[in-house]
Amino acid sequence: MLQQTSTPPSGPKAIRGSRSNNNNSNTRPSTRAGIHKRRNGPVKVDKDGDLDMEAAAGSGRGRGKRARGSDQEQRAGVAAGRGAGRNNASRGGLGSAATQKAILRSMGSGAATIRGPKGVMNMSKIIREATDQGRNHERGGGLQQISVTGWRRSKAASNPDGGVNDLLAFLERKATAPDARAVKITKSRTEGDALIVFVKPEDTSRILHLNEFMFAGAPLTIEERVKAGKRTSSPPIGGSSEAALNTRQKMTAILNRRYDSELKLLNLSSLGKDPELIEMGMFASVTTESKFFPALMKVCDLIFASSQQKRDAVTSVTLADNEISDIKSVTSLSQTFPDLKNLDLSNNRLKDLRSIEGWRWKFRHLDHLVLTGNPIEAELPRYTEELLKWYPTLRILNGIQVRSDEDVAAATRGRLPLPISPPSFRDEALIGETFIKQFFPAFDTDRNALVNGYYDAQSKFSLSVNTSAPRAPDPPAGQENKSPLAWDAYIKKSRNLMKVTHLPARMSRAYVGTEAIRDAWLSLPLTRHPDLLAEPHKWLIECHSLPGLPDPTGQSPGGVGGLIVMVHGEFHELDNATGQLSTNRSFDRTFVLGPGSGIGGIRVVSDIMTLRAWGGSAAWIPESHGGDASTAPAPSSPVPNHQYQQQQQSQLPGFPENFAHPAPGKTDEQLLKETLILQLSSATGMNGEYSTMCLEQSGWNLEGAAEAFRGAKVWFPLGSLAGVGDRSKDGNVG
């Protein structure tokens, strides 16, 4: 296939000599007579005025103008050091450089025209231009500039450094593939709302692929930065050479030919046998072949105007019959088409899971995976469980259903392995309920009186800001277009141990005693919590007994009993100037209550509050084992025991108006028994008399009484049931 041409011979010496002659006028005389140590000199910066972070480490490695000025000497020295044996070997036949030229001369497409010794253009360079790896190189060190915007709207923008360090770490981590070299950002600087990062040319495409990624709740815009004075009219991908444009056009035509619009299938099988790709020389060398697939994926990105259009157009891809032994060469498929539903890898050379590990936890919507015709097929029974972990929606593997439709639907909804249960509120003598009802209204209106009523000299309070907590997909009403949350009023008091690592800072943000707690509370913005009865769906409250608390009187060495109350909810901040409701936030607050001299004979031993961006209340909607959280009824009250009983009392005949209510002269023991009677009647449908009998026989154990009812309800007389709904069918106690 090779054809001889009339082009003058152009061996390595000829090219080297030609370059040397042409560049003599611009070459500085070498001054490298020795190594000189700079003493007390200015800080070294590059041509853009940025601090050269590698100056100290690389001052003696031939960087900067001195290295470039003696470029001819370096090449001449390398050639001389290697000896003449290598040159002599190429005289009797075609060397590697001459072979590439001969291959390019034989291509009839005209994509690479040989214009003489200095006009050599090989396919590797064409593909590099077509994938934007050859533009905007920095002259100092060959770095490339990339502009990142949108990060100032993220939650990390409230960090002391504005979120720059977190952003740099995020970019490096996301751009580094599991099986590839780590991507490093050499240096960076801010210009207004943009962060300019400098990376090596070979890492450019990895960073650019992160465009539209979410960083701390805000989408990023990442694009190459064109320096002042450079062309900006070139297409977003591809070099200016005719060969690069021609290559890109041919790739687009090949993709169009291989796309089935009815099946939404992109057929990338048997690429190595495609006559057009062979004619283009895509597999002529290892270098060209390694750059081919990323370039093809880059062209795919250009074809579609948006990510949504790409998702709608391509749901299936086949890479069958490509002799793939490891997905390293095609790993960019998961970046270009992350939402694939069907993937065919049949008839390749994949041996085990390590050969496809680069796609672990990619393709989060993958439904059907085909691995037939690979050595790994014999080991699939051993690998199936692992593949199901990698792909949570995978339903069919090699034509066999490996996950039920119900499990796939649950994974799509994001249901947890265990169903969400209603809150567990195990109060004692209404202590927890009374405290909650009084605490939050007082926190909104009179914090000074609240701290005096429940806190003492040993009480502890701490605040933590969690800026990385997940947000609700839909912002609360009125905040759709607002700027990111500001945490300035809280961040200086935050004791987030993941962020605050210095011991004195940790200690200073733990507030002990009424005065310290009062000062901390009064420095926080005013709040307005939802009404417990009017908006119970916005609250989740649990309560449990907690033994072994320190006795403030010192009379019980083994400690005293108390309660731990956990509250999850939300509140609005009040604008100090207008008094109107403004920012909506979610919070988690844990109280430890013990006996003391405060209101109702209790004290707050510990109070821990965590603040986060508004996350809604859907996370705690109860669901059954076979049900859906989205259709489960919302809890009638955040305090499910006594408050629920009050709401149901009107439906239970035969109970006095103040039954199970605190009243003068009513002891705590009597109130507790009435509460148990009412709860058992609500769950079973029994009237008060028979509920009392069951409880007395079970020693006032609610679960024992309910079990006794289920075993003997067929013998109950007709008038013993109060007829409350259909709860008497099973007698379950909430």
Side-chain angles (χ1 to χ4, degrees):
M1 288 184 58
L2 301 181
Q3 301 177 1
Q4 299 295 333
T5 68
S6 59
T7 304
S10 54
K13 289 185 177 181
I15 295 177
R16 190 160 56 243
S18 174
R19 291 177 178 171
S20 178
N21 293 336
N22 291 337
N23 295 333
N24 279 342
S25 60
N26 297 326
T27 304
R28 283 183 156 184
S30 175
T31 60
R32 299 179 64 185
I35 300 176
H36 301 278
K37 183 176 181 181
R38 297 184 63 177
R39 301 180 184 274
N40 300 325
V43 177
K44 186 173 181 181
V45 297
D46 61 15
K47 300 193 71 175
D48 294 316
D50 300 307
L51 179 62
D52 190 348
M53 300 174 67
E54 298 183 355
S59 59
R61 299 182 183 178
R63 295 183 178 172
K65 295 181 179 180
R66 295 178 65 177
R68 291 193 297 271
S70 56
D71 190 37
Q72 292 85 355
E73 296 177 13
Q74 294 178 20
R75 287 197 296 267
V78 171
R82 290 176 179 171
R86 183 173 178 180
N87 293 335
N88 292 337
S90 64
R91 293 175 184 170
L94 288 174
S96 60
T99 301
Q100 288 186 0
K101 296 175 188 176
I103 293 174
L104 292 173
R105 294 189 191 107
S106 66
M107 295 172 59
S109 63
T113 304
I114 306 302
R115 304 180 184 272
K118 296 181 63 177
V120 176
M121 175 72 75
N122 56 39
M123 283 304 301
S124 176
K125 185 174 181 181
I126 292 174
I127 296 179
R128 187 184 64 188
E129 289 188 10
T131 54
D132 260 349
Q133 294 178 0
R135 296 190 295 123
N136 288 343
H137 282 204
E138 286 295 301
R139 294 181 59 85
L143 299 179
Q144 202 159 356
Q145 295 186 31
I146 296 178
S147 171
V148 183
T149 56
W151 55 280
R152 290 195 182 276
R153 297 189 297 272
S154 69
K155 294 182 289 184
S158 60
N159 294 349
D161 65 344
V164 172
N165 289 333
D166 288 342
L167 177 59
L168 294 175
F170 173 84
L171 295 174
E172 291 180 341
R173 183 175 69 254
K174 291 295 184 180
T176 300
D179 53 351
R181 173 184 56 81
V183 174
K184 293 295 183 183
I185 295 175
T186 305
K187 57 181 180 177
S188 64
R189 69 167 182 265
T190 56
E191 291 186 3
D193 292 335
L195 177 68
I196 310 300
V197 298
F198 295 76
V199 298
K200 295 179 179 180
E202 57 267 28
D203 295 336
T204 303
S205 59
R206 298 187 186 182
I207 297 291
L208 291 177
H209 176 71
L210 303 180
N211 185 38
E212 298 183 358
F213 269 47
M214 297 295 293
F215 167 69
L220 298 177
T221 300
I222 303 178
E223 52 192 5
E224 287 189 73
R225 180 174 180 270
V226 180
K227 295 178 65 178
K230 291 201 172 185
R231 293 179 52 180
T232 59
S233 59
S234 59
I237 186 172
S240 58
S241 71
E242 180 183 354
L245 295 174
N246 189 30
T247 300
R248 194 167 62 252
Q249 292 172 359
K250 288 187 176 183
M251 285 185 174
T252 303
I254 292 172
L255 288 170
N256 289 332
R257 173 171 55 83
R258 287 174 166 267
Y259 175 66
D260 188 329
S261 58
E262 293 184 1
L263 299 177
K264 297 184 178 181
L265 168 67
L266 182 59
N267 185 353
L268 301 180
S269 63
S270 303
L271 292 174
K273 300 177 182 179
D274 191 300
E276 291 186 55
L277 294 175
I278 295 174
E279 182 182 0
M280 294 171 63
M282 291 298 175
F283 311 108
S285 68
V286 176
T287 302
T288 303
E289 184 176 347
S290 65
K291 296 179 179 179
F292 157 66
F293 197 83
L296 192 66
M297 293 296 99
K298 197 71 174 181
V299 174
C300 285
D301 285 329
L302 278 179
I303 293 175
F304 301 101
S306 65
S307 299
Q308 184 61 47
Q309 186 185 39
K310 184 166 55 176
R311 282 192 292 269
D312 295 339
V314 179
T315 60
S316 306
V317 169
T318 174
L319 284 168
D321 301 296
N322 278 304
E323 300 184 1
I324 300 172
S325 59
D326 192 292
I327 64 162
K328 291 180 181 179
S329 59
V330 294
T331 186
S332 54
L333 178 72
S334 63
Q335 301 169 354
T336 303
F337 298 105
D339 300 307
L340 278 182
K341 295 182 179 179
N342 308 293
L343 178 60
D344 179 14
L345 297 172
S346 61
N347 301 324
N348 284 291
R349 299 179 179 178
L350 303 171
K351 296 181 179 180
D352 49 34
L353 284 184
R354 286 180 297 178
S355 58
I356 59 174
E357 192 173 14
W359 283 340
R360 179 176 56 178
W361 300 324
K362 308 292 184 181
F363 304 120
R364 304 305 290 173
H365 304 285
L366 189 64
D367 178 76
H368 191 173
L369 177 63
V370 180
L371 292 170
T372 57
N374 288 275
I376 193 178
E377 185 178 8
E379 304 292 334
L380 276 184
R382 187 158 57 97
Y383 293 145
T384 299
E385 184 177 353
E386 189 68 20
L387 287 171
L388 291 176
K389 294 178 182 179
W390 289 9
Y391 307 113
T393 62
L394 182 64
R395 190 172 52 93
I396 301 175
L397 179 61
N398 285 358
I400 301 175
Q401 185 162 347
V402 292
R403 182 183 273 131
S404 67
D405 296 344
E406 291 77 13
D407 289 341
V408 172
T412 303
R413 292 193 304 266
R415 200 186 80 183
L416 298 174
L418 296 176
I420 303 173
S421 300
S424 175
F425 197 91
R426 303 193 176 192
D427 199 355
E428 294 185 8
L430 302 179
I431 293 175
E433 180 180 347
T434 303
F435 171 78
I436 292 298
K437 287 180 177 179
Q438 295 178 353
F439 183 89
F440 288 99
F443 189 84
D444 292 338
T445 57
D446 194 348
R447 295 177 185 175
N448 186 61
L450 180 62
V451 74
N452 290 332
Y454 281 111
Y455 294 74
D456 59 21
Q458 286 77 41
S459 298
K460 297 179 181 179
F461 167 76
S462 65
L463 165 70
S464 175
V465 175
N466 183 4
T467 58
S468 60
R471 300 187 178 199
D474 300 318
Q479 296 190 42
E480 294 84 353
N481 300 318
K482 287 193 175 183
S483 57
L485 286 180
W487 297 98
D488 297 347
Y490 305 96
I491 203 69
K492 292 183 178 180
K493 293 179 174 56
S494 174
R495 198 172 181 259
N496 188 333
L497 300 182
M498 298 296 293
K499 302 290 185 181
V500 182
T501 58
H502 195 46
L503 182 59
R506 288 182 172 185
M507 298 300 294
S508 66
R509 300 183 187 194
Y511 304 98
V512 181
T514 54
E515 294 303 322
I517 296 173
R518 178 186 292 107
D519 293 342
W521 282 7
L522 295 179
S523 67
L524 301 178
L526 298 177
T527 58
R528 189 72 72 237
H529 291 78
D531 186 87
L532 272 166
L533 297 179
E535 299 179 287
H537 61 280
K538 294 184 177 181
W539 296 83
L540 174 67
I541 305 175
E542 295 191 307
C543 178
H544 298 276
S545 60
L546 187 66
L549 294 178
D551 184 3
T553 64
Q555 298 178 0
S556 300
V560 295
L563 294 175
I564 180 170
V565 182
M566 294 156 285
V567 184
H568 311 276
E570 61 184 77
F571 63 81
H572 278 93
E573 288 181 3
L574 269 64
D575 190 298
N576 291 331
T578 64
Q580 300 297 317
L581 301 180
S582 58
T583 305
N584 200 16
R585 303 183 191 272
S586 290
F587 74 92
D588 310 290
R589 201 155 184 173
T590 302
F591 302 94
V592 174
L593 307 180
S597 57
I599 300 175
I602 65 172
R603 61 185 281 262
V604 175
V605 179
S606 174
D607 176 5
I608 302 175
M609 180 169 65
T610 300
L611 297 180
R612 48 191 170 84
W614 186 78
S617 56
W620 56 68
I621 297 178
E623 62 174 321
S624 62
H625 286 272
D628 183 356
S630 62
T631 59
S636 59
S637 169
V639 184
N641 279 341
H642 182 61
Q643 201 165 298
Y644 170 77
Q645 296 155 11
Q646 292 177 18
Q647 294 176 356
Q648 297 295 325
Q649 181 177 333
S650 60
Q651 304 177 21
L652 301 178
F655 288 95
E657 181 179 356
N658 293 326
F659 191 80
H661 281 253
K666 184 181 293 187
T667 65
D668 290 343
E669 182 181 1
Q670 181 182 355
L671 181 62
L672 178 59
K673 288 182 177 180
E674 291 180 359
T675 301
L676 293 174
I677 293 170
L678 189 59
Q679 187 172 0
L680 183 61
S681 297
S682 300
T684 63
M686 289 190 297
N687 60 27
E689 179 184 358
Y690 280 88
S691 293
T692 303
M693 291 172 55
C694 286
L695 286 166
E696 287 177 344
Q697 293 175 6
S698 63
W700 292 95
N701 182 283
L702 184 60
E703 294 181 358
E707 184 64 30
F709 167 79
R710 286 192 292 268
K713 65 180 179 179
V714 295
W715 304 104
F716 276 63
L718 184 63
S720 64
L721 299 181
V724 182
D726 59 355
R727 281 185 291 275
S728 60
K729 293 179 181 179
D730 53 16
N732 289 330
V733 178

